[in-house]
Amino acid sequence: MTNYQVLWKGPVHKNSGLGIASRAYVQALRRQGVHVMVGSESRGNPNQGIKKILIYHAPPHTINFKKERAYFDRIILNTVWETTRLPNIWIPYMNKFDAVCVPTVHNKQAMQNSGVTIPIFIVPHGVDTREYTPTNKKITLQKYNNRFVFVSVFGFQHRKNPETLLRAYWEEFSVTDNVLLIIKTDGCTELENEQSIKNKIRRYKQSLSLDKQTAPIIITARPMNSQTLKGMYTRAQAFVLPTRGEGVGLPFLESLASGTPVIATGWGGQMDFLTSNNSFLLPYKLRNPALSMNSQHAISRRFRELFAQKGQRWAEVDVRSLKQKMRLAYNNPLLCEAKGHQGRQDVLKLTWDRAGISLKQAIEEVIRTNRNRK
């Protein structure tokens, strides 16, 4: 065991990308011999011989520094961000931490763009390649069983760019194409249930006044068990998401681990592991988020207060480019297979143990460094 102990405060009990990452980081640290307590667990009595480290896996502006500094020797922020610059509400808090850990180069650049001067450590996410594997049983699609399948997994919010995905698919593919798009999504609030999301998508389709009968889409916004999710990845010939910004993009990792190539924006945290050999990368232009939020095409929750501030930029994909890449994938299933095989090989080394080693090294570097507390 180490001569320090860690209290982890984060969404370890949530069924979300952040929750998955939070649990995986804790388990990875424990496998490295680090004594880690979680959230509400007792802090115990102070031990003068043991350094006490808080890892705060939550929005930085929500911390109570006065309370935490009274107990902990070091406080490390573990976070992620999606645009070129942090939201204004975060910035006054950032340099009060002893260090910050982020999962990708993209995140580090956003920190530096925002004036973060404390040490920034890249502690990558991982993916369980024993859970997500090409051998997972494929889902059965009944009447769609012989079709080329695109899959997309995302939260129903503007940053994920659902309108460009839908528009590209509807405009590019008709009932004469042997194709299917499966969307697994969820709302940002309890009111955004499956029916409300389907209604928004239906109204959006009507607004486009399409002059043809489009290819089918299956939309599910209900909880999905892990076996079904894994089988969805392996059933697909390609995963597609023209996201505007990702800190990492966990579904990209899960898809590649499953042997399924990715059609994705060529900008964001995912570029630490997506390449032209394992993916179909989409060209983009960096734009102020408010431009697309004010568009008639915007159909999902925008989160203006976080993303549409002065100086922020994210990636906008041209719908024509997405249509071309989806058609290329559809016409070349063997190319998809080759890219998927390469993706599987590429992510085999992206283990959570690697993340645990990196995080342990970051903690110990912070302990060795004497900084003046603010």
Side-chain angles (χ1 to χ4, degrees):
M1 276 291 182
T2 55
N3 62 351
Y4 58 88
Q5 63 184 24
V6 169
L7 180 68
W8 186 282
K9 284 193 174 182
V12 292
H13 303 299
K14 289 192 174 181
N15 185 26
S16 64
L18 282 176
I20 291 170
S22 214
R23 291 189 293 275
Y25 277 133
V26 168
Q27 293 162 0
L29 275 179
R30 287 173 173 167
R31 289 195 296 271
Q32 295 303 316
V34 179
H35 178 201
V36 184
M37 297 179 292
V38 174
S40 60
E41 292 180 14
S42 171
R43 297 181 179 187
N45 296 320
N47 185 329
Q48 297 302 317
I50 297 291
K51 293 286 185 182
K52 295 169 287 297
I53 312 300
L54 172 63
I55 298 184
Y56 196 72
H57 193 196
H61 65 286
T62 62
I63 192 171
N64 184 331
F65 274 112
K66 183 177 180 180
K67 174 185 174 183
E68 305 299 5
R69 285 293 186 194
Y71 185 85
F72 292 100
D73 296 286
R74 297 288 187 273
I75 302 176
I76 300 172
L77 175 67
N78 187 45
T79 194
V80 63
W81 192 245
E82 295 89 2
T83 71
T84 58
R85 181 179 169 83
L86 303 181
N88 293 335
I89 196 172
W90 284 23
I91 292 175
Y93 294 83
M94 294 301 299
N95 290 323
K96 295 181 180 181
F97 291 89
D98 293 297
V100 56
C101 292
V102 296
T104 64
V105 172
H106 171 83
N107 288 269
K108 184 173 183 177
Q109 291 172 341
M111 300 284 158
Q112 293 170 334
N113 291 344
S114 305
V116 175
T117 58
I118 58 173
I120 304 170
F121 298 93
I122 295 180
V123 179
H125 280 191
V127 62
D128 190 337
T129 55
R130 294 167 299 180
E131 286 289 316
Y132 293 93
T133 171
T135 60
N136 284 331
K137 184 179 179 181
K138 301 176 181 180
I139 59 171
T140 301
L141 295 172
Q142 298 177 353
K143 64 179 180 179
Y144 298 126
N145 253 352
N146 295 320
R147 291 185 179 240
F148 184 104
V149 174
F150 293 105
V151 157
S152 195
V153 178
F154 58 89
F156 198 69
Q157 60 169 297
H158 188 69
R159 178 171 58 83
K160 300 293 185 174
N161 204 0
E163 65 272 19
T164 296
L165 170 59
L166 291 163
R167 183 180 165 198
Y169 181 75
W170 285 326
E171 292 182 356
E172 183 62 26
F173 299 103
S174 72
V175 289
T176 62
D177 294 298
N178 193 34
V179 66
L180 173 69
L181 171 62
I182 303 175
I183 293 177
K184 168 63 180 80
T185 189
D186 53 75
C188 300
T189 70
E190 291 184 2
L191 296 177
E192 293 177 324
N193 56 27
E194 182 173 271
Q195 192 56 53
S196 72
I197 290 172
K198 286 182 175 179
N199 288 341
K200 288 179 181 179
I201 291 173
R202 176 180 51 79
R203 288 193 296 268
Y204 179 55
K205 186 176 184 181
Q206 290 172 344
S207 74
L208 296 176
S209 300
L210 299 164
D211 59 359
K212 65 179 180 181
Q213 193 172 357
T214 58
I217 298 179
I218 294 175
I219 299 167
T220 176
R222 300 175 184 177
M224 179 178 288
N225 64 51
S226 62
Q227 183 178 355
T228 302
L229 179 63
K230 294 170 193 174
M232 195 169 70
Y233 284 127
T234 53
R235 176 59 186 86
Q237 278 75 30
F239 180 97
V240 56
L241 185 64
T243 178
R244 294 181 164 103
E246 295 292 329
V248 180
L250 186 60
F252 295 140
L253 285 168
E254 293 170 346
S255 182
L256 291 184
S258 303
T260 302
V262 167
I263 303 173
T265 312
W267 182 87
Q270 68 269 23
M271 293 310 295
D272 278 14
F273 52 87
L274 295 190
T275 71
S276 59
N277 292 325
N278 61 34
S279 305
F280 300 88
L281 298 176
L282 299 166
Y284 63 90
K285 292 182 179 179
L286 292 181
R287 293 284 186 264
N288 187 312
L291 294 175
S292 59
M293 289 181 182
N294 295 334
S295 165
Q296 63 180 355
H297 294 285
I299 62 172
S300 52
R301 189 169 291 270
R302 295 165 176 79
F303 294 104
R304 288 180 183 272
E305 69 280 6
L306 292 175
F307 298 118
Q309 297 177 351
K310 184 178 179 180
Q312 287 185 318
R313 297 288 185 272
W314 63 17
E316 292 291 346
V317 169
D318 178 67
V319 68
R320 182 174 59 178
S321 299
L322 178 55
K323 287 157 65 173
Q324 291 170 345
K325 294 293 187 182
M326 292 179 77
R327 177 63 68 176
L328 176 63
Y330 174 75
N331 286 338
N332 294 273
L334 292 180
L335 177 60
C336 291
E337 188 176 327
K339 285 180 179 286
H341 176 76
Q342 184 62 53
R344 170 71 182 177
Q345 298 306 307
D346 292 343
V347 301
L348 284 174
K349 63 181 180 292
L350 306 184
T351 65
W352 280 109
D353 280 338
R354 181 185 73 141
I357 292 169
S358 297
L359 185 50
K360 182 183 179 185
Q361 291 172 342
I363 294 168
E364 293 175 356
E365 177 64 25
V366 172
I367 292 173
R368 286 193 296 269
T369 303
N370 292 318
R371 295 184 65 252
N372 293 324
R373 292 178 181 172
K374 298 183 179 180

